[in-house]
Amino acid sequence: MTKFLSVVSELMSKDNVLVLGHVMPDGDDISSVACLAEGLRRLGKTARAGIDDQIAWYYKLFFAVDKIESFEQLQDFSPDLIVVVDCSSPDRVGRFQDLLKKAKLVVIDHHETNALFGDLNLVDVSSASTAQIVYNINKAMEVSYDPQLATTNLLGIMTDTGFFRYSNTDGNVLRTAAELVELGAQPYFVASTILENRTPEQFKLLEKMIEHMKVEDGLVYSWLSYEDYLSLGCTEDDSSGFVSELRSMKDIEVAILFTEFPEGEVHVSFRSKHWLNVSKIAAALGGGGHARAAGCSYKNVELNKVIDEVLRLTREALAGGRHETD
Ligand code: 5GP
Ligand code: MN
């Protein structure tokens, strides 16, 4: 039996399922968690969903996202199966990590840096989004789709492909998106909700990022300190998507954004354009991701020290050249 069919039969055979996503959840993660849990509920199972972090307000405008619960809310649940989606390592589930040993664990993901930490690992690195894998699983389980569920499923595909612009946009992406649109999904709702909801404070934060921006051979980087967020009444969610603005610069290969939120906690977002495999740099620093989009996080650090370390590794990788890094 293929991995895919093993996962489908595992899901079909269990009645109490917990679906978990990762900290700092993005659109693909939220979509995958919400759609898999909803699919199982539509089959009559008890399926609950959890993410141990804040979910940005605009994601809550999508169907089934309000059913994702916090770590505290899920304390009363004893699942007989746990499914972790879009998560490359067990620490990414936050405080749910200790729970992972207490039931059979299925991992569904598309990150090449996945640590294969489940009893069953369905990791398809050729899939642009985890949401596509979830759609295929729901389809195999004969889950009924309506326009609302289809739109939430499309959310993950659209956000992880940069709205069909990134190099991972292939025939499967467009075919699955087309199927979802035929089921009633609304691409316009996804695009306008995610891309056209920036507050004036976010624009001021963007201004700060541009003010701090530095450009050197093949590389553009910038940073936002906790003080920057605080002074504008912003949180880390408010800089979501900013690193893509950096990558849009002409003639650069790699863009890096350093964000400190809260004080002493730094997240590094890497994006590359054509050839540099940034997941290798992120993995060397304890993080992970994809060849063109990766990240890592630090606790109890000084922003400047992180910037120095990351720049050193990135400059080395860039100088190593195309043949060695990808
Ligand atoms: P972003 O820069 O948008 O936070 O993340 C880009 C990609 O890298 C995403 O696929 C995300 O899952 C992954 N990523 C970001 N931060 C981390 C991290 O700290 N650890 C791991 N394993 N992956 C990360
Ligand atoms: Mn993803």
Side-chain angles (χ1 to χ4, degrees):
M1 196 157 45
T2 64
K3 282 262 171 67
F4 178 82
L5 290 176
S6 308
V7 168
V8 170
S9 85
E10 193 63 44
L11 287 165
M12 296 291 281
S13 71
K14 296 289 195 313
D15 285 324
N16 295 290
V17 186
L18 177 62
V19 184
L20 296 176
H22 60 73
V23 292
M24 297 185 73
D26 55 11
D28 186 33
D29 186 53
I30 292 164
S31 159
S32 300
V33 169
C35 291
L36 186 59
E38 180 64 21
L40 294 167
R41 281 193 290 270
R42 288 186 182 195
L43 296 173
K45 296 170 188 297
T46 299
R48 290 173 71 178
I51 292 180
D52 186 23
D53 209 341
Q54 304 278 10
I55 294 177
W57 68 272
Y58 43 86
Y59 289 125
K60 294 182 185 159
L61 303 174
F62 289 84
F63 171 73
V65 173
D66 63 340
K67 295 181 192 158
I68 300 175
E69 298 174 85
S70 67
F71 178 72
E72 287 78 12
Q73 285 170 314
L74 282 159
Q75 288 311 300
D76 63 339
F77 189 45
S78 301
D80 45 25
L81 182 70
I82 300 177
V83 188
V84 173
V85 298
D86 199 47
C87 233
S88 53
S89 52
D91 57 293
R92 298 270 288 156
V93 297
R95 287 174 295 168
F96 287 113
Q97 190 172 354
D98 289 341
L99 198 70
L100 301 185
K101 299 171 207 101
K102 301 204 171 124
K104 187 155 188 188
L105 182 63
V106 172
V107 170
I108 300 171
D109 189 25
H110 68 136
H111 291 97
E112 61 189 19
T113 54
N114 193 288
L116 307 177
F117 55 100
D119 299 306
L120 207 55
N121 300 288
L122 178 60
V123 179
D124 181 0
V125 297
S126 74
S127 187
S129 62
T130 301
Q132 284 162 261
I133 310 174
V134 166
Y135 175 66
N136 288 329
I137 290 172
N138 277 348
K139 203 157 98 165
M141 297 194 301
E142 298 182 10
V143 168
S144 70
Y145 267 66
D146 52 22
Q148 285 188 310
L149 181 58
T151 300
T152 301
N153 210 149
L154 185 62
L155 164 71
I157 301 174
M158 288 182 72
T159 51
D160 254 28
T161 60
F163 300 82
F164 309 120
R165 286 178 301 130
Y166 298 161
S167 58
N168 58 3
T169 305
D170 58 13
N172 287 330
V173 163
L174 298 173
R175 268 186 292 273
T176 307
E179 274 185 43
L180 286 165
V181 170
E182 264 148 29
L183 291 164
Q186 288 187 294
Y188 160 76
F189 177 80
V190 179
S192 60
T193 304
I194 303 300
L195 298 174
E196 296 173 353
N197 260 321
R198 273 190 184 158
T199 61
E201 291 72 27
Q202 281 180 284
F203 275 84
K204 295 205 176 96
L205 195 64
L206 190 60
E207 197 176 15
K208 284 251 183 255
M209 182 190 81
I210 294 168
E211 208 179 289
H212 297 162
M213 188 177 81
K214 297 245 170 18
V215 189
E216 53 181 71
D217 251 6
L219 167 68
V220 56
Y221 68 93
S222 188
W223 50 273
L224 291 167
S225 68
Y226 181 55
E227 180 51 37
D228 293 325
Y229 287 97
L230 216 59
S231 66
L232 294 168
C234 289
T235 69
E236 60 190 336
D237 285 339
D238 292 318
S239 50
S240 142
F242 282 17
V243 66
S244 310
E245 305 292 340
L246 294 177
R247 179 168 57 181
S248 71
M249 185 176 287
K250 183 173 181 286
D251 292 339
I252 58 98
E253 173 55 27
V254 57
I256 312 172
L257 179 62
F258 301 87
T259 51
E260 183 194 20
F261 194 96
E263 195 165 9
E265 287 189 23
V266 176
H267 183 72
V268 189
S269 286
F270 297 89
R271 297 291 185 271
S272 66
K273 256 191 190 161
H274 303 300
W275 60 269
L276 187 72
N277 187 344
V278 287
S279 80
K280 287 189 184 168
I281 307 173
L285 297 168
H290 308 284
R292 303 284 166 267
C296 59
S297 307
Y298 293 75
K299 277 191 176 147
N300 303 315
V301 284
E302 274 175 45
L303 182 57
N304 281 335
K305 295 224 166 95
V306 175
I307 295 177
D308 287 348
E309 184 182 26
V310 169
L311 289 182
R312 189 172 51 75
L313 287 182
T314 309
R315 286 178 188 131
E316 264 172 39
L318 273 172
R322 193 174 191 125
H323 56 289
E324 285 174 21
T325 47
D326 202 10

